[in-house]
Each structure stands twice: as C-alpha cells, then as structure tokens.
C-alpha cells in the first residue's frame, strides 16, 4: 500500500511522456488529387494581388514565383517553392481536392530588402499562408484567402 503513490506517479510520468512523443511525430494524412496536381504543377509568375473588400490591386515590384512539384525522396512529398521579391520560400502541399488547397511547414529566408519589397512580401505571404481555395481558368492560377486573391500566369 505504501508503494501505491509511487506507482501512480510512475504511471503519470509514463503517460505524459508517451503523449508528448505522439504530438512530436503526427501522422499526416495527405489529400492530394493527382489529376488536379498535374494541372497545378510547374512554375507560375505572380501577376497581381487583389484585396476583395476594397477592390485594390497591387503588382509585384519584382519577380514573384511559385513552383509546385513532386519530390520522391524516401516518401512522396508535394512541395511548393518560389521567389518572393528578394527572399526564397517553400513548404508542403497538405491538401488539393475539388478547388480546395492548403499548405504546411511554410518557411522563408530572411534577406535584408528595401521597405517597398518588404511591404509587398508581407502582403504576399499573408495571402499565401491563408490560402484555402484555388482556381485555374484562362491560363491563370488564382489562390483565394479570406480577403485576397493572388493571380499567377505561366
């Protein structure tokens, strides 16, 4: 009976450690439609950023690209990479199905840029990271977030 509190503490320690390990390596359930990815894959050049509420449109002050590709290392990964005025960025495509799209593990380099480039890059990344929907029409890729539309061409 004296060892019961000690056993209980050991049990709690074991449970908390095993729960911690589960969150460190989550199982990712990719939902990628291969036919949709084939249409999306390749390099796209940013044409403009539209703000839906106000109708304002801005154009990139320098080259901004996004490239969707398939990597086949030890496991298949659907990735995106690009140039965002003066920085490079990338990440993984988590889902692509029925005009729905989502990304994860997005990253960017942190080069020193002019104020103009930094401002545009911030607007671009904000819209890109919040993207939930996409459409490809008339040779244009449009990525939709809650209040922005990023329009790309090939």
């Amino acid at each position: 009976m004296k060892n019961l509190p000690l056993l209980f503490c050991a049990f709690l320690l074991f449970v908390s450690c095993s729960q911690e390990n589960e969150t460190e390596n989550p199982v990712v359930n990719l939902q990628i439609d291969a036919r949709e990815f084939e249409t999306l894959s390749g390099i796209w050049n940013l044409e403009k950023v539209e703000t839906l509420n106000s109708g304002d449109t801005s154009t990139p002050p320098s080259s901004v690209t996004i490239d969707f590709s398939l990597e086949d290392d030890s496991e298949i990964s659907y990735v995106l990479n690009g140039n965002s005025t003066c920085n490079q960025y990338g990440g993984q495509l988590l889902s692509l199905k029925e005009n729905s799209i989502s990304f994860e593990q997005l990253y960017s380099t942190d080069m020193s840029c002019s104020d103009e480039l930094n401002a545009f890059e911030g607007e671009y990344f904000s819209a890109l990271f919040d993207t939930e929907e996409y459409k490809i029409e008339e040779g244009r890729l449009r990525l939709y977030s809650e209040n922005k539309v990023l329009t790309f061409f090939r």
Side-chain angles (χ1 to χ4, degrees):
M1 209 52 158
K2 291 181 182 179
N3 292 332
L4 190 57
L6 183 60
L7 287 173
F8 182 71
C9 288
F11 173 75
L12 286 179
L13 181 63
F14 174 76
V15 169
S16 69
C17 287
S18 57
Q19 285 177 350
E20 185 176 307
N21 288 340
E22 288 173 14
T23 58
E24 286 178 9
N25 299 314
V27 175
V28 176
N29 184 14
L30 295 177
Q31 297 199 359
I32 308 291
D33 182 301
R35 284 178 284 153
E36 286 186 47
F37 183 78
E38 196 172 303
T39 304
L40 181 68
S41 67
I43 299 173
W44 297 86
N45 300 286
L46 183 65
E47 180 178 353
K48 61 185 173 181
V49 178
E50 299 171 78
T51 303
L52 297 175
N53 305 5
S54 66
D56 291 342
T57 300
S58 58
T59 57
S62 67
S63 176
V64 176
T65 61
I66 190 167
D67 180 8
F68 295 95
S69 60
L70 181 64
E71 288 185 354
D72 192 6
D73 297 335
S74 60
E75 60 185 62
I76 294 176
S77 297
Y78 296 88
V79 297
L80 64 129
N81 295 291
N83 178 20
S84 60
T85 65
C86 74
N87 281 295
Q88 301 293 314
Y89 69 95
Q92 290 190 327
L93 193 57
L94 183 60
S95 68
L96 178 71
K97 192 172 186 177
E98 300 170 359
N99 293 338
S100 169
I101 190 168
S102 64
F103 312 115
E104 71 170 1
Q105 298 178 358
L106 296 168
Y107 64 88
S108 168
T109 58
D110 193 18
M111 302 292 290
S112 178
C113 308
S114 71
D115 290 344
E116 177 190 18
L117 295 180
N118 278 336
F120 185 85
E121 199 168 76
E123 179 183 15
Y124 174 70
F125 281 147
S126 176
L128 181 64
F129 296 168
D130 293 338
T131 295
E132 297 175 345
E133 185 180 335
Y134 82 99
K135 289 182 184 173
I136 299 176
E137 300 172 324
E138 301 173 6
R140 299 291 193 260
L141 165 64
R142 290 181 176 82
L143 299 178
Y144 297 87
S145 63
E146 187 174 319
N147 65 342
K148 302 263 187 195
V149 179
L150 301 173
T151 302
F152 297 84
F153 65 94
R154 288 209 194 247

